[in-house]
Amino acid sequence: DTEVTQTPKHLVMGMTNKKSLKCEQHMGHRAMYWYKQKAKKPPELMFVYSYEKLSINESVPSRFSPECPNSSLLNLHLHALQPEDSALYLCASSHSGSGVNEQFFGPGTRLTVL
Amino acid sequence: AQKITQTQPGMFVQEKEAVTLDCTYDTSDQSYGLFWYKQPSSGEMIFLIYQGSYDEQNATEGRYSLNFQKARKSANLVISASQLGDSAMYFCAMLGRGGTSYGKLTFGQGTILTVHP
């Protein structure tokens, strides 16, 4: 299984809602990532988990809260988002946070904040 | 700090022809990795090819090859025998192995490739 899955595919939420994005991989990878991508722009790194511990937080606002319950799962909890947070949110995984290993991406969640 | 530059916002190619997508990079790291990803309109980032900074031979994966010129800090992607399904956004990216860049994948701005029948 060489797949990263993400749910939901699409999400529309109000600024007062609380929602979560989910990401799962079964490739035995020990590093997982969240990226944010605006239309026609490159992905921007948000968070990196290595061996289930948060290793990189790219100064992301606290309304985004990551969680890594185990080595296969990665969540992104959303609360009190702003319309400018509307974007494609991509999850990725790699063999480890170190070494030059390709990152495998999921299909993304398209988030719209009203 | 790492930087990736893709100077071609858009490229057009005729079906079955070859096309080269440009990528230059800047880093102070001695060890790094260079990647190319394809992103169709559906949004998924598809890994295409990887080149390590110490690899002496250019990487190849099927119709994709990477023209790696270390002294010039360039890592151009060559797609041979273009197909209509190759139409997509292409990103060049670098993975750092030193300092504050460690473990971070830095992307260029991307090139939109359109393949004409």
Side-chain angles (χ1 to χ4, degrees), chain A residues 19-78:
Chain A
K19 297 286 184 183
S20 296
L21 309 184
K22 297 186 184 301
C23 174
E24 190 168 4
Q25 57 88 14
H26 294 287
M27 295 179 277
H29 290 171
R30 302 310 299 271
M32 297 186 77
Y33 311 79
W34 279 116
Y35 289 86
K36 174 184 178 180
Q37 186 180 23
K38 302 287 264 185
K40 299 192 188 304
K41 296 291 186 181
E44 298 175 354
L45 182 64
M46 300 174 72
F47 303 104
V48 180
Y49 273 82
S50 182
Y51 294 89
E52 293 107 71
K53 291 187 178 179
L54 184 64
S55 60
I56 296 176
N57 177 341
E58 290 289 89
S59 303
V60 179
S62 60
R63 57 186 184 268
F64 295 91
S65 176
E67 178 196 20
C68 189
N70 59 56
S71 60
S72 299
L73 292 173
L74 185 66
N75 299 321
L76 186 62
H77 303 298
L78 315 172

